[in-house]
C-alpha cells in the first residue's frame, strides 16, 4: 500500500517536473509564452523552467538555413535575358521578430527572402553586362546583395550570413547561338590548323625542290667545267702532237675518218674509176 | 543514402538512421526510464510486487535501477569518430575514441560523429546506380570569361573537421556544400577563358575552387574540411563536341601534312645529291677518258710521224691504199665509168642495197634514185682531193 502510494506520488512528481522543465538544444532557439504573450526569448542551450499550464514554449531552428531560389530571369545592362539562381544562407537572429513577422515559419521566411533578394538582384543585374556578371563582378554582387538584403531581412528577425549567385545562364535560344558561335570558332581554328599545315608543307616541299635544283645545277656546272677541262686538255695534247706536221695529220686523220665512216656493208659508194686508188685499175702503167 | 536523390527534399543525414538527433524529449526519457525500471512499473500499478514486498525490497530495487541507469551511461567511441556530449541540450564536451561515460539519459546525451569517413558530393553528374555518368546539364553547363559554355563535372570529397560545428551549426551540411560548390566553380570558371579551363588550366582551376569552397564553408562554421576536389570532366558541351574534335583532328592533320612534306623532302634531296654525284662522276670520267684517249692518239700519231718523216712518200702511199682497201672491202661499191655530163644515168640503188650486192641491173625500181654525173663526181673528187692533201669536207 505504502509502496503504491510512493510510486504514484513519484510518478506524479515526475510528470509535474517534466511539465515544468524544458531543454533548449544547441541547434534550437526558444520562446517562452505566458498565456500567449512572449515573456522570454533569450535562452541559452540547456535546462530551463516554466510553469505548467501557464507557460508554453516554442522552439525554432538555430542553425544556418538555406533559401535556394527558383531560377529567375533578369535583364542585363545590354538588355539581354539571363537566368539566375541564387541562394541565401541565413539564420534566425531575433526570435521574437521572427515569430511575430512570419509566424516562425521557415517556409514563409524563405518566400519573403526570395522576394527581397530578387528585388535587390534586379537592380544589380540591370547595371551590369553579362561579361561582368559572369566573371569580374560576382564577389561585388554577392557583397552588395548581402548589404542590401540584410537590413530588410532584419525586419523579419533574420540574419543574413551569405548571399551567393549560383547560376548565371543564358536562355535556351541564346545558348544555342553561343553554341553556333563556338562551332564557328572551332571551325576557324581547324581551318587555320589545316592551312598552316598546308603552308608549312608547301614550304618544305618547295625548299626541297629548290635544294634539288641547286644541287643538280651546281653538279651540272661542275660537270661542264670538268668536261671543258677534259676537252681543253685533250685539245692541247692533240694540238701538241699534230702541230708537228699539220699536213700529215690531215692526211692521216682523213684516212681514219674514211675507215670509220664507211664501215658497214650497207653503205654504198658509187665511184668513178679515175681516183688515185684506181690509178692502175685500167692501165697498169 | 545519398544527398542528391532527384527531387532532393532536404533530408537530414541522420533521420532514418538510429536517432541521434540530440537528446530525446522528456517524455521519451521517462519512457526509457520506465523500461529500465521495467520490473517495478511493469503492467501498471502493483504488477510484480505482491503483498509480501516490503519497503526494503523496494529500496533494493530502486538502488538496482539506479545502478543500471548509471551503467547505461557507458558508451564506446570508435576509432575515427568523436562523441559530442550535450547536457540538457547544451554542449559540454567532445570525447575521443575509447570507452567513455556520460551522465545517462535524460541528463546527458551523446551524438557519435565520424570524422575520418570520406564523404563526397557530385556536382554536374550522378554516378549512382548506372554504369555511365549521368550528366546534369543544369549543374554542369557554365559560362566562361570569353562567353563560351563549358561542361564541368566535379566530385568534392570532404570530411568532418570539427564534430561540434558539424553537428550544430548548419542545417544540411552536404546540401550547403553542394550549393557553395556550384557557386564557387562558376565564379572560378567565369574568371577564366574556355581554352584555359579545358586544357592547361585544369589543375589550377581545381585548386582555386577547392580553396574558395573551404573559405566559404569556414565562414559558415560548417566544421567540414575539403580533402579533394576532382575534376571528373571538363569538356565543351555536347552540342559542339563534333566541332571541337574536328579542331583536334585538324591539329593532327597539320602535323601529318608537315610530316608528309618532310618525307618528300627526305626523298627528293638525297636523290638529287645522288644524281648530282652521278653528273660530276660522269664528267670526271669523260674528262679522264678524253685525256687518256688524246694521249693515246697523240702518242700513236707522234710515233707514226717519226717513221713517216723517214719515208714520207711510201708511207703515205701505203696508208692511203690500206685505208681505201679497208673502206672498199667493207662497203658495197659501185664503179661507174661514165665520162661526160648531161646524159641521165640511172641506178636502182634501193634494190642494190636490199640485195646488198652491187650487181643487180634490174629495171624495176620502186624509188628510183638518180645521180647526176656531178654528184658522182663529188665522191670521186673527194677521194681525189684527199689524195692531194686538201681538207676533207665531211658530209
Amino acid at each position: 500500500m505504502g509502496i503504491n502510494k510512493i510510486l504514484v506520488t513519484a510518478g506524479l512528481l515526475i510528470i509535474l517536473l517534466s511539465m515544468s522543465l524544458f531543454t533548449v538544444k544547441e541547434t534550437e532557439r526558444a520562446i517562452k509564452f505566458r498565456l500567449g504573450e512572449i515573456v522570454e526569448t533569450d535562452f541559452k542551450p540547456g535546462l530551463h523552467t516554466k510553469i505548467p499550464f501557464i507557460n508554453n514554449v516554442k522552439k525554432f531552428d538555430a542553425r544556418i538555413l538555406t533559401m535556394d531560389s527558383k531560377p529567375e530571369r533578369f535583364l542585363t545592362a545590354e538588355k539581354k535575358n539571363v537566368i539566375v539562381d541564387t541562394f541565401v544562407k541565413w539564420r534566425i537572429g531575433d526570435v521574437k521578430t521572427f515569430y511575430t513577422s512570419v509566424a516562425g515559419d521557415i517556409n514563409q521566411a524563405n518566400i519573403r527572402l526570395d522576394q527581397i533578394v530578387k528585388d535587390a538582384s534586379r537592380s544589380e543585374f540591370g547595371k551590369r553586362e553579362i561579361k561582368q556578371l559572369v566573371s569580374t563582378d560576382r564577389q561585388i554582387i554577392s557583397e552588395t546583395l548581402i548589404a542590401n538584403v540584410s537590413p530588410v531581412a532584419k525586419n523579419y528577425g533574420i540574419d543574413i550570413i551569405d548571399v551567393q549567385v549560383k547560376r548565371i545562364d543564358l536562355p535556351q535560344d541564346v545558348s544555342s547561338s553561343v553554341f553556333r558561335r563556338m562551332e564557328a570558332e572551332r571551325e576557324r581554328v581547324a581551318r587555320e590548323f589545316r592551312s598552316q599545315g598546308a603552308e608549312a608543307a608547301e614550304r618544305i616541299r618547295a625548299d626541297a625542290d629548290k635544294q634539288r635544283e641547286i644541287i643538280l645545277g651546281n653538279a651540272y656546272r661542275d660537270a661542264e667545267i670538268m668536261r671543258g677541262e677534259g676537252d681543253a686538255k685533250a685539245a692541247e695534247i692533240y694540238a701538241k702532237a699534230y702541230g708537228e706536221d699539220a699536213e700529215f695529220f690531215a692526211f692521216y686523220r682523213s684516212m681514219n675518218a674514211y675507215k670509220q665512216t664507211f664501215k658497214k656493208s650497207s653503205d654504198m659508194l658509187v665511184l668513178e674509176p679515175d681516183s688515185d686508188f684506181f690509178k692502175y685499175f685500167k692501165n697498169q702503167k | 543514402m545519398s544527398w542528391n536523390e532527384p527531387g532532393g527534399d532536404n533530408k537530414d543525414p541522420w533521420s532514418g538512421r538510429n536517432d541521434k538527433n540530440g537528446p530525446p524529449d522528456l517524455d521519451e526519457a521517462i519512457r526509457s526510464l520506465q523500461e529500465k525500471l521495467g520490473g517495478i512499473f511493469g503492467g501498471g500499478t502493483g504488477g510484480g510486487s505482491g503483498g509480501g514486498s516490503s519497503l526494503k525490497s523496494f529500496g533494493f530495487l530502486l538502488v538496482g535501477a539506479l545502478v543500471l541507469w548509471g551503467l547505461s551511461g557507458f558508451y564506446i567511441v570508435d576509432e575515427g569518430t568523436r562523441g559530442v556530449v550535450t547536457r540538457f541540450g547544451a554542449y559540454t564536451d567532445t570525447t575521443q575514441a575509447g570507452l567513455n561515460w556520460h551522465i545517462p539519459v535524460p541528463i546527458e546525451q551523446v551524438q557519435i560523429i565520424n570524422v575520418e569517413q570520406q564523404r563526397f558530393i557530385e556536382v554536374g553528374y550522378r554516378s549512382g546506380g548506372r554504369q555511365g555518368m549521368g550528366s546534369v546539364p543544369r549543374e554542369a553547363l557554365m559560362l566562361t570569361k570569353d562567353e563560351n559554355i563549358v561542361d564541368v563535372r566535379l566530385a568534392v570529397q570532404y570530411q568532418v573537421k570539427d564534430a561540434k560545428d558539424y553537428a550544430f551549426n548548419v542545417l544540411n551540411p552536404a546540401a550547403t556544400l553542394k550549393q557553395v560548390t556550384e557557386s564557387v566553380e562558376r565564379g572560378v570558371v567565369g574568371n577564366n577563358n574556355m581554352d584555359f579551363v579545358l586544357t592547361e588550366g585544369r589543375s589550377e582551376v581545381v585548386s582555386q575552387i577547392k580553396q574558395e569552397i573551404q573559405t566559404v564553408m569556414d565562414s559558415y562554421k560548417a566544421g567540414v574540411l575539403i580533402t579533394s576536389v576532382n575534376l571528373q570532366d571538363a569538356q565543351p558541351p555536347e552540342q559542339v563536341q563534333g566541332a571541337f574534335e574536328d579542331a583536334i583532328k585538324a591539329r593532327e592533320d597539320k602535323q601529318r601534312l608537315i610530316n608528309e612534306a618532310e618525307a618528300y623532302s627526305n626523298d627528293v634531296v638525297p636523290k638529287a645529291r645522288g644524281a648530282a654525284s652521278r653528273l660530276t662522276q660522269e664528267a670526271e670520267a669523260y674528262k679522264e677518258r678524253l685525256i687518256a684517249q688524246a694521249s693515246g692518239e697523240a702518242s700513236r700519231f707522234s710515233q707514226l710521224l717519226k717513221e713517216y718523216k723517214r719515208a714520207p712518200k711510201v708511207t703515205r702511199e701505203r696508208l692511203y691504199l690500206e685505208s681505201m682497201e679497208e673502206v672498199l672491202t667493207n662497203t658495197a661499191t659501185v664503179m661507174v665509168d661514165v665520162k661526160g655530163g648531161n646524159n641521165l644515168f640511172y641506178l636502182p640503188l634501193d634494190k642494190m642495197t636490199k640485195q646488198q650486192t652491187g650487181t643487180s641491173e634490174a629495171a624495176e625500181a620502186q624509188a628510183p634514185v638518180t645521180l647526176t654525173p656531178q654528184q658522182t663526181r663529188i665522191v670521186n673528187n673527194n677521194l681525189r682531193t684527199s689524195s692531194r692533201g686538201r681538207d676533207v669536207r665531211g658530209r
Side-chain angles (χ1 to χ4, degrees), chain A residues 162 164 181 209 269 271 282, chain B residues 147 183 220 264 334 336-337:
Chain A
D162 197 3
Q164 294 229 16
R181 196 197 66 224
D209 288 342
L269 292 176
L271 303 174
K282 284 181 178 173
Chain B
E147 287 192 54
S183 169
Y220 300 164
Y264 171 81
V334 180
V336 182
D337 191 2

Side-chain angles (χ1 to χ4, degrees), chain B residues 341-360:
Chain B
N342 292 341
N343 44 349
L344 210 64
F345 167 80
Y346 163 77
L347 279 174
L349 275 179
D350 52 330
K351 262 229 162 102
M352 291 154 64
T353 48
K354 256 180 213 150
Q355 293 172 354
Q356 300 205 334
T357 56
T359 52
S360 173

Side-chain angles (χ1 to χ4, degrees), chain A residues 187-246:
Chain A
E187 220 166 273
R188 187 184 66 74
V189 169
R191 269 169 204 267
E192 196 177 356
F193 274 133
R194 291 202 169 97
S195 55
Q196 276 175 354
E199 178 196 16
E202 204 52 53
R203 272 180 207 283
I204 291 163
R205 279 172 201 270
D207 182 59
D209 288 342
K210 182 184 85 177
Q211 281 188 49
R212 184 187 59 195
E213 293 303 310
I214 289 173
I215 289 167
L216 289 177
N218 285 343
Y220 183 77
R221 182 197 60 207
D222 295 347
E224 287 302 293
I225 289 170
M226 217 169 276
R227 282 172 203 268
E229 281 171 5
D231 289 338
K233 188 79 192 160
E236 188 195 346
I237 291 166
Y238 284 130
K240 203 172 153 211
Y242 300 152
E244 282 185 40
D245 189 337

Side-chain angles (χ1 to χ4, degrees), chain A residues 88-89 113 116-117 119-121 123-124 127-128 138-155 158-164:
Chain A
V88 180
K89 291 284 167 188
L113 270 181
I116 299 164
V117 172
D119 291 345
S121 303
S123 62
E124 288 306 312
K127 268 190 261 185
R128 293 177 171 85
R138 271 177 175 268
Q139 200 57 42
I140 298 161
I141 291 170
S142 179
E143 283 161 16
T144 317
L145 287 179
I146 294 170
N148 293 348
V149 171
S150 290
V152 187
K154 273 271 184 290
N155 302 334
I158 291 171
D159 282 355
I160 300 293
I161 311 288
D162 197 3
V163 180
Q164 294 229 16

